[in-house]
Amino acid sequence: MNKQQESRTNMFNAVLQVLDEHHAIFDTVPALSTAASDLRANLLAISACVEKQVVDLRGFARDKLGAEQAMMQAAVVVAKGTLAYATVSGNMVLAGKMSVTRRLLERHADGVVARHCQVVLAEATAVGAALADYGVDAARLEALEQAIRRYEAALAAPRLAITARKGATTELVLVIRDTQRLLATRLDALMERFATEDPALHRAYWNARIIVDRGRRAKEAPEQKAA
């Protein structure tokens, strides 16, 4: 949300506050009551957009790092146990595939490290129950599979958050424009009757309608020259 949008939103909230304070009066005018409800709904939509805009991506980065560390650790344990089995059984092809170290995995790009761990899981699963004596049972294989899934989800989360934030920025522009139209074409018109029926309400409403630009100093109105 930029400063101009913030100023307009503050004005919208000020208008709603005036309407809430005088609800006993305008509740007798159904169209005015409905317009006030629509204004409240739009302000909730604006708040939702702002919440999406201020998502802190650093939390996603920390979560991805933690998931990656857990996945690599699980993969190395499975690989080492399978390597021991392959060595004893003379399966040199399998032993070559299981020559996996943490340092090797850390050199991979984000997308590649998960695929390498997936290969370790697939090869170990193919051996099956024979690995149980080497500390690689079904529970350990399941733990590696879950660790891979968690890492892949953590890897995609920042991109989804960025996409949501961009969408929220576009939506915010539309909601603020719609809210401005709501005031200009409905609330402003419906408040005109109170200029004579309830001057205090009419004055409070139009005072709330003033947009205060927080980035600029308000200019004083020029003095009128005497006739």
Side-chain angles (χ1 to χ4, degrees), residues 19-225:
L19 297 178
D20 285 342
E21 291 173 353
H22 297 82
H23 69 88
I25 298 174
F26 68 76
D27 277 352
T28 60
V29 184
L32 185 54
S33 180
T34 300
S37 297
D38 291 344
L39 174 59
R40 192 185 310 279
N42 279 20
L43 285 172
L44 290 175
I46 289 174
S47 295
C49 290
V50 173
E51 287 178 5
K52 293 178 183 178
Q53 281 186 319
V54 299
V55 170
D56 188 352
L57 297 180
R58 290 174 297 181
F60 290 108
R62 288 191 295 267
D63 185 58
K64 186 198 74 128
L65 179 60
E68 183 179 44
Q69 295 295 322
M71 178 185 67
M72 289 192 297
Q73 178 60 29
V76 169
V77 170
V78 170
K80 293 303 183 184
T82 308
L83 175 61
Y85 162 79
T87 302
V88 171
S89 61
N91 189 338
M92 293 299 102
V93 174
L94 180 60
K97 293 179 180 179
M98 293 299 110
S99 297
V100 177
T101 64
R102 191 181 187 88
R103 188 164 185 167
L104 173 65
L105 294 175
E106 288 174 346
R107 289 204 299 264
H108 288 320
D110 288 343
V112 177
V113 64
R115 289 197 292 272
H116 198 155
C117 292
Q118 187 66 50
V119 169
V120 171
L121 175 63
E123 294 293 336
T125 301
V127 177
L131 295 177
D133 291 342
Y134 296 85
V136 182
D137 55 10
R140 195 171 294 279
L141 293 176
E142 175 67 19
L144 174 56
E145 182 178 5
Q146 293 300 322
I148 293 172
R149 290 180 181 177
R150 182 174 180 275
Y151 173 74
E152 290 175 338
L155 190 62
R159 292 194 292 269
L160 296 176
I162 291 172
T163 301
R165 187 164 61 180
K166 289 181 178 178
T169 300
T170 301
E171 183 181 357
L172 180 63
V173 173
L174 298 177
V175 175
I176 288 180
R177 185 183 304 166
D178 180 67
T179 307
Q180 185 64 34
R181 188 182 303 114
L182 167 63
L183 267 65
T185 61
R186 294 169 62 188
L187 283 169
D188 290 357
L190 292 169
M191 287 300 300
E192 191 59 31
R193 58 179 288 184
F194 295 103
T196 55
E197 295 180 10
D198 194 326
L201 169 57
H202 187 266
R203 183 168 53 254
Y205 175 83
W206 284 106
N207 285 340
R209 282 284 275 118
I210 298 173
I211 299 176
V212 179
D213 189 344
R214 296 179 60 186
R216 300 179 182 178
R217 184 176 180 179
K219 295 181 178 179
E220 294 181 359
E223 294 183 0
Q224 294 183 352
K225 295 182 178 180

